[in-house]
Amino acid sequence: MMIYAFALLIGVIAGLRAMMAPAAVSLATAYGELDLTGTPLAFMGWRFTPWVFAVLALIELVTDQLPATPSRKVPVQFGARILLGGLSGAAIGASGGVLVVGLALGVIGAVIGTYGGAALRARLAATFGRDRPAALIEDAVAIAGALVILGCLS
């Protein structure tokens, strides 16, 4: 039952920071914390995959702070979050033999994380009177959340 919760929650992380979820899943796979051997998602643990996702996650953390960055709710940004949430949820699901269910839960989580994260960040920004502290808090929640989720899987 926990695998379902973790697939949903990693999708929420993708809704907060699109690249954080696949970076965390890929690193966990590469370091043996998540077993995707023999699944269609085994590539998540290949030699360079974790590095590519990690670099993209770091770039996202920086670009999210820029004023010209589009809303996470515009079609391209939203679609990326759904795709990457689904991928990450599917990987967690695949490690427990329920790839398709994990994919669906990852997508649902990404939708929740996208809209919930945007609403929470807007409230925090209004409280602080500016967006940067809210964005940094959201970054911290995404990083810590990904670490907790994958730490619980091992």
Side-chain angles (χ1 to χ4, degrees):
M1 193 65 171
M2 293 302 289
I3 200 108
Y4 300 126
F6 292 137
L8 178 74
L9 291 172
I10 203 70
V12 171
I13 299 301
L16 298 176
R17 293 289 174 271
M19 296 308 301
M20 188 62 59
V25 167
S26 186
L27 286 164
T29 304
Y31 289 104
E33 300 297 321
L34 191 65
D35 185 15
L36 297 178
T37 306
T39 73
L41 299 175
F43 73 91
M44 294 292 281
W46 290 355
R47 184 176 182 182
F48 294 108
T49 308
W51 293 103
V52 170
F53 279 126
V55 167
L56 291 172
L58 289 172
I59 291 169
E60 181 183 22
L61 290 173
V62 172
T63 59
D64 182 63
Q65 305 297 320
L66 303 175
T69 301
S71 166
R72 71 185 82 200
K73 296 185 282 184
V74 300
V76 172
Q77 300 284 341
F78 190 55
R81 290 168 195 279
I82 289 173
L83 177 71
L84 294 167
L87 171 67
S88 302
I92 290 176
S95 72
V98 288
L99 185 145
V100 174
V101 173
L103 185 142
L105 290 169
V107 166
I108 292 166
V111 172
I112 293 168
T114 298
Y115 285 108
L120 181 60
R121 181 166 167 176
R123 286 187 188 137
L124 286 172
T127 300
F128 291 119
R130 55 195 187 110
D131 185 60
R132 177 146 307 172
L136 293 173
I137 289 169
E138 188 178 15
D139 289 346
V141 168
I143 293 166
L147 291 172
V148 168
I149 291 163
L150 294 169
C152 290
L153 286 172
S154 57

